[in-house]
């Protein structure tokens, strides 16, 4: 009887150990995979919201004519711009009448026509394109089916081809950010009406590895560039002066995007878009509200 009692106690202790281990694992998994509510000086204010028609969201921009966000799929898809509201709800889909090879970004900014969107056909994974293209078109209404025909600028780097995924606009200039180990910024100079050939000029290095998007804030005072792991904020005046030191760096690891790609900024709100995960589905939109440094 005593032997059987000791065996029963051992079995009981083994079951207890298994249950304790399982409970600890569940708690650990919950901590690891539970949605985070903050990222550095930012709190998550909305999302992630699914973007079912944009599984490969690449660029992100906030409209100037109307307060919508514009995004698009990466290469291999139709040249459609998707208009979404703050919550990620799709409110428009507009075809851009242009052929692209590797459309990597869309940016918003001023232009001779008033307010424009800039479509950046600047991807070059093999670094073999002698020129890349920038298309500028009047910002369409979200309810339009087709945008106006764009003006096209043929861009040439002074030091050979580069792969790039980031573009932002300040004043009458556009700025390309390379996707490499340094995040080099090139500027176009003032872009004329009607399009044409432009040799860009090297401005400096952001010191960011693999930049996937860049955008100017809606007030034009801040430039934000992002990678999969950080969002880097810079004063626009510093960028124009060739000074690349960030005013704020926001860690993005804790927001747990599937594949972080796009970024846009309005006031103290930062928008992030991500491609779909490995099991398919749509992309996603996340909204952060941040404590920003004084101007």
């Amino acid at each position: 009887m005593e032997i059987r009692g000791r065996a029963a106690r051992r079995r009981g202790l083994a079951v207890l150990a298994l249950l304790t281990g399982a409970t600890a694992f569940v708690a650990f998994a919950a901590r690891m995979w539970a949605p985070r509510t903050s990222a550095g000086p930012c709190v998550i204010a909305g999302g992630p919201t699914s973007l079912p028609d944009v599984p490969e969201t690449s660029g992100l921009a906030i409209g100037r004519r109307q307060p919508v966000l514009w995004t698009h799929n990466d290469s291999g898809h139709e040249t459609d711009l998707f208009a979404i509201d703050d919550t990620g709800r799709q409110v428009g889909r507009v075809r851009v009448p242009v052929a692209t090879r590797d459309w990597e970004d869309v940016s918003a900014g001023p232009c001779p026509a008033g307010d424009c969107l800039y479509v950046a056909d600047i991807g070059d994974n093999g670094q073999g394109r002698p020129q890349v293209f920038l298309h500028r078109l009047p910002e369409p209404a979200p309810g339009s089916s087709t945008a106006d025909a764009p003006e096209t600028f043929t861009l040439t780097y002074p030091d050979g081809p580069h792969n790039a995924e980031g573009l932002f606009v300040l004043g009458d200039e556009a700025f390309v950010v390379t996707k490499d180990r340094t995040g080099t910024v090139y500027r176009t100079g003032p872009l004329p009406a009607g399009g044409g050939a432009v040799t860009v000029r090297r401005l400096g290095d952001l010191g960011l590895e693999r930049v996937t998007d860049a955008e100017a804030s809606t007030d034009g005072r801040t430039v934000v560039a992002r990678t999969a792991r950080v969002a880097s904020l810079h004063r626009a005046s510093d960028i124009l002066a060739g000074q690349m030191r960030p005013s704020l760096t926001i860690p993005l690891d804790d927001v747990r995007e599937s594949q972080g790609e796009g970024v846009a900024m309005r006031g103290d709100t930062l928008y992030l878009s991500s491609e779909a995960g490995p099991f398919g589905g749509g992309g996603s939109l996340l909204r952060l509200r941040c404590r920003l440094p004084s101007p």
Side-chain angles (χ1 to χ4, degrees):
M1 295 292 292
E2 184 179 350
I3 293 173
R4 287 199 295 270
R6 287 200 297 269
R9 284 195 294 273
R10 284 198 296 270
R11 287 196 297 272
L13 289 172
V15 170
L16 179 61
L18 286 172
L19 291 174
T20 302
T23 302
F25 175 79
V26 170
F28 171 77
R31 290 194 300 271
M32 287 298 295
W33 297 109
R36 292 295 193 260
T37 59
S38 64
C42 307
V43 295
I44 296 178
T49 305
S50 177
L51 306 175
D53 290 337
V54 202
E56 295 187 37
T57 174
S58 187
L60 193 65
I62 300 173
R64 302 303 195 256
R65 283 183 58 190
Q66 300 187 59
V68 297
L69 289 98
W70 295 99
T71 188
H72 60 91
N73 282 302
D74 205 339
S75 58
H77 295 263
E78 300 289 350
T79 54
D80 290 341
L81 283 164
F82 297 85
I84 55 179
D85 65 15
D86 265 15
T87 69
R89 181 176 63 94
Q90 185 173 309
V91 296
R93 180 171 184 166
V94 184
R95 178 64 51 85
V96 180
V98 66
T100 63
R101 177 172 168 181
D102 195 353
W103 181 2
E104 290 291 355
D105 201 4
V106 61
S107 291
C111 65
D115 295 304
C116 281
L117 296 179
Y118 292 74
V119 170
D121 183 4
I122 56 176
D124 188 10
N125 290 322
Q127 297 186 35
R129 300 177 68 179
Q131 291 91 27
V132 292
F133 300 97
L134 178 63
H135 307 286
R136 181 172 69 185
L137 58 139
E139 184 181 336
S144 303
S145 59
T146 305
D148 292 341
E151 305 165 302
T152 296
F153 300 91
T154 302
L155 307 184
T156 303
Y157 296 100
D159 51 356
H162 294 276
N163 186 32
E165 293 190 6
L167 181 94
F168 61 92
V169 178
L170 294 174
D172 56 0
E173 295 187 74
F175 299 77
V176 177
V177 185
T178 60
K179 186 181 182 180
D180 49 27
R181 294 183 177 181
T182 57
T184 302
V185 180
Y186 291 86
R187 70 191 304 175
T188 63
L191 292 170
V198 175
T199 298
V200 298
R201 293 180 290 126
R202 185 181 182 278
L203 185 58
D205 296 335
L206 294 177
L208 293 173
E209 189 170 354
R210 298 184 64 79
V211 171
T212 61
D213 195 10
E215 184 70 358
S217 60
T218 54
D219 63 8
R221 299 173 65 176
T222 303
V223 171
V224 56
R226 73 156 297 171
T227 70
R229 305 196 63 182
V230 299
S232 183
L233 274 59
H234 304 256
R235 296 181 181 88
S237 57
D238 289 346
I239 293 285
L240 292 171
Q243 300 170 13
M244 302 296 168
R245 184 176 180 178
S247 59
L248 180 66
T249 300
I250 300 169
L252 299 179
D253 284 340
D254 281 348
V255 301
R256 296 202 177 123
E257 297 170 286
S258 296
Q259 182 176 319
E261 290 286 341
V263 68
M265 184 177 179
R266 174 169 50 207
D268 63 353
T269 301
L270 202 65
Y271 298 89
L272 305 174
S273 67
S274 173
E275 288 193 8
F279 303 107
S284 63
L285 180 74
L286 194 64
R287 188 171 78 251
L288 307 181
R289 186 158 292 117
C290 306
R291 298 186 307 276
L292 301 179
S294 301

